Amino acid sequence: MVQLLIDFWDYVVVFLVVITVIVFVHELGHYLIARANGVRVETFSIGFGPELFGFTAKSGTRWKFSLLPLGGYVRMFGDMDGPGDGEDKVAAMTPEERAVAFRTKKVYQRASIVVAGPLINFVFGIFLLALLFMIYGEQRIPPVVGAVITGSAAEQAGLKPGDKVLIANGDTVSTFGDLQVIVQTTVGEPVQLLIERDGKDQTITVQPRLTDMADSSGHTQKVPILGVTPPKDAAVIIHHNPLSALVAGVNKTRQIVGINLKAIGQIVTGRRDTDQLSGPVGIAKQVGQAARLGLQGILFFAAYISINLGLFNLFPIPLLDGGHLLFYCVEAVLGRPLGPRAQEYGFRLGLFLVLALMILATGNDLGVWKFIRGIVS
């Protein structure tokens, strides 16, 4: 019973708290820039569906928590329900209403309101990472080979203990973690290493071996492995001041974005399996695993989710913030919005893509596709 309560806390309560905070931050970005541009905000909701509780501010905004906590929204006055449905409604507005309506704002103002949500997610992620680096410090392990596993790809390629990796596939390697990231985003392709051995530089090409490994969600994935370990007791903890922590947070955010963009590109081109996509269930499992590591684990994973939410929302898919930005870019070029029919088809396509992605990711979380493949094969 005690273990059940602990699991409920880690996998449900902590997950909902993390998601709620991140969604609040995202919607707060939209809200603040909307207000700065003179748009009246009618509703600020954490969650979807029926309202559980809330209050109405002096500004007229209804702040509320809704039944389904996975998401949220900001409803602005004059932001119509569907593409192309607002011309008649805008024409019927009074001058006072037109002054505070979203639809009547200039295209750059609407674009700034939309992009504010993803951007504040990046800022929040950087802030959390900087906070972590100030409180707990940043662990850095030098990119030096401590040991080479017998029979591994590294041994076959000729790597030896004491080799220092300087560059991997054209990217500078500053830490052992950098080397791991570069290798694991290659999908098993050869890795060209520039190493320093006995004071001299030389180039070695290693073919990582794809090895079945279970992730924190219990999914088995084929991970490229070199077969090297860092030297024992080589880790150094760097305690940052606010400025250096901020720089480290920006660098870490840039690395996370780069890794995810590369992985997405590999999935789109068919070089990486789609079973690595995670939905709400998988994220809940990962948050639960992070919670077992304490506040440090929770804060890092919250930063990771916030950064990825910002990145995902910038994809040019109608229904997402990036899709709205795409429409506004077209409007800025043409000098007029896209026609109602074009927008309608765009939003239908966006809805289909988002739903398909959710079904695919949730199926991965629950092992549905793996089970079906097992039956078919």
Side-chain angles (χ1 to χ4, degrees):
M1 183 64 181
V2 173
Q3 185 60 47
L4 183 63
L5 291 174
I6 293 175
D7 289 342
F8 179 79
W9 174 267
D10 289 340
Y11 291 97
V12 179
V13 176
V14 174
F15 168 71
L16 291 178
V17 170
V18 168
I19 292 299
T20 297
V21 171
I22 292 172
V23 168
F24 173 80
V25 167
H26 179 90
E27 299 303 331
L28 185 64
H30 293 313
Y31 173 84
L32 291 175
I33 304 302
R35 295 289 293 155
N37 282 279
V39 176
R40 189 170 79 206
V41 179
E42 297 183 319
T43 307
F44 189 119
S45 176
I46 299 299
F48 298 101
E51 178 181 332
L52 295 178
F53 59 90
F55 68 94
T56 301
K58 291 181 179 179
S59 62
T61 303
R62 181 66 181 176
W63 297 75
K64 65 179 184 178
F65 278 83
S66 299
L67 183 61
L68 302 176
L70 299 179
Y73 63 91
V74 168
R75 183 181 297 279
M76 289 167 274
F77 178 73
D79 185 12
M80 307 308 173
D81 294 329
D85 70 349
E87 299 304 322
D88 292 339
K89 293 181 180 178
V90 169
M93 290 179 184
T94 65
E96 291 77 13
E97 290 175 329
R98 291 173 67 88
V100 295
F102 176 82
R103 185 66 66 93
T104 59
K105 296 299 179 181
K106 297 183 183 298
V107 65
Y108 77 87
Q109 292 176 300
R110 283 176 276 141
S112 67
I113 293 169
V114 168
V115 79
L119 288 185
I120 201 172
N121 277 129
F122 288 117
V123 172
F124 185 61
I126 292 170
F127 167 77
L128 290 179
L129 291 171
L131 189 65
L132 277 170
F133 294 150
M134 284 192 295
I135 297 174
Y136 298 100
E138 181 187 12
Q139 178 177 282
R140 290 184 183 176
I141 302 175
V144 176
V145 176
V148 178
I149 298 173
T150 303
S152 66
E155 184 185 55
Q156 185 177 1
L159 280 172
K160 297 179 180 180
D163 289 346
K164 182 178 181 180
V165 181
L166 305 175
I167 297 175
N169 281 354
D171 293 330
T172 301
V173 177
S174 301
T175 67
F176 198 86
D178 292 342
L179 177 61
Q180 290 176 310
V181 167
I182 293 169
V183 171
Q184 291 180 9
T185 54
T186 61
V187 201
E189 299 152 344
V191 179
Q192 189 175 68
L193 303 176
L194 176 64
I195 66 169
E196 180 184 305
R197 177 185 294 172
D198 299 327
K200 298 180 180 179
D201 294 351
Q202 66 181 83
T203 300
I204 292 179
T205 300
V206 187
Q207 175 64 62
R209 293 179 182 170
L210 293 176
T211 306
D212 289 332
M213 297 185 69
D215 62 15
S216 59
S217 299
H219 295 152
T220 300
Q221 302 177 5
K222 290 190 178 297
V223 179
I225 300 295
L226 285 186
V228 296
T229 59
K232 293 182 179 179
D233 304 322
V236 176
I237 304 297
I238 298 176
H239 292 280
H240 289 277
N241 59 47
L243 180 59
S244 65
L246 184 62
V247 172
V250 171
N251 290 334
K252 188 66 176 179
T253 299
R254 186 171 54 192
Q255 184 186 62
I256 291 172
V257 170
I259 292 170
N260 282 282
L261 285 177
K262 187 171 184 178
I264 291 168
Q266 291 167 342
I267 290 174
V268 171
T269 57
R271 294 163 56 211
R272 183 180 290 270
D273 203 329
T274 57
D275 62 5
Q276 296 186 25
L277 294 173
S278 291
V281 176
I283 294 173
K285 290 180 181 179
Q286 293 169 26
V287 171
Q289 293 290 336
R292 299 290 169 90
L293 301 175
L295 181 61
Q296 183 176 3
I298 295 172
L299 289 177
F300 181 81
F301 207 80
Y304 184 81
I305 295 175
S306 185
I307 293 164
N308 280 286
L309 178 63
L311 178 63
F312 177 71
N313 266 282
L314 286 176
F315 290 158
I317 299 174
L319 221 66
L320 300 180
D321 293 331
H324 290 286
L325 288 173
L326 178 62
F327 284 153
Y328 296 151
C329 288
V330 173
E331 181 179 343
V333 171
L334 298 180
R336 58 175 175 78
L338 281 174
R341 186 173 293 271
Q343 292 190 48
E344 181 180 356
Y345 283 126
F347 277 96
R348 286 182 180 180
L349 175 62
L351 179 61
F352 169 78
L353 290 174
V354 171
L355 288 177
L357 184 61
M358 288 183 63
I359 292 171
L360 176 62
T362 304
N364 288 339
D365 295 341
L366 301 177
V368 173
W369 313 128
K370 186 177 181 180
F371 175 75
I372 293 174
R373 283 196 297 268
I375 294 176
V376 173
S377 60

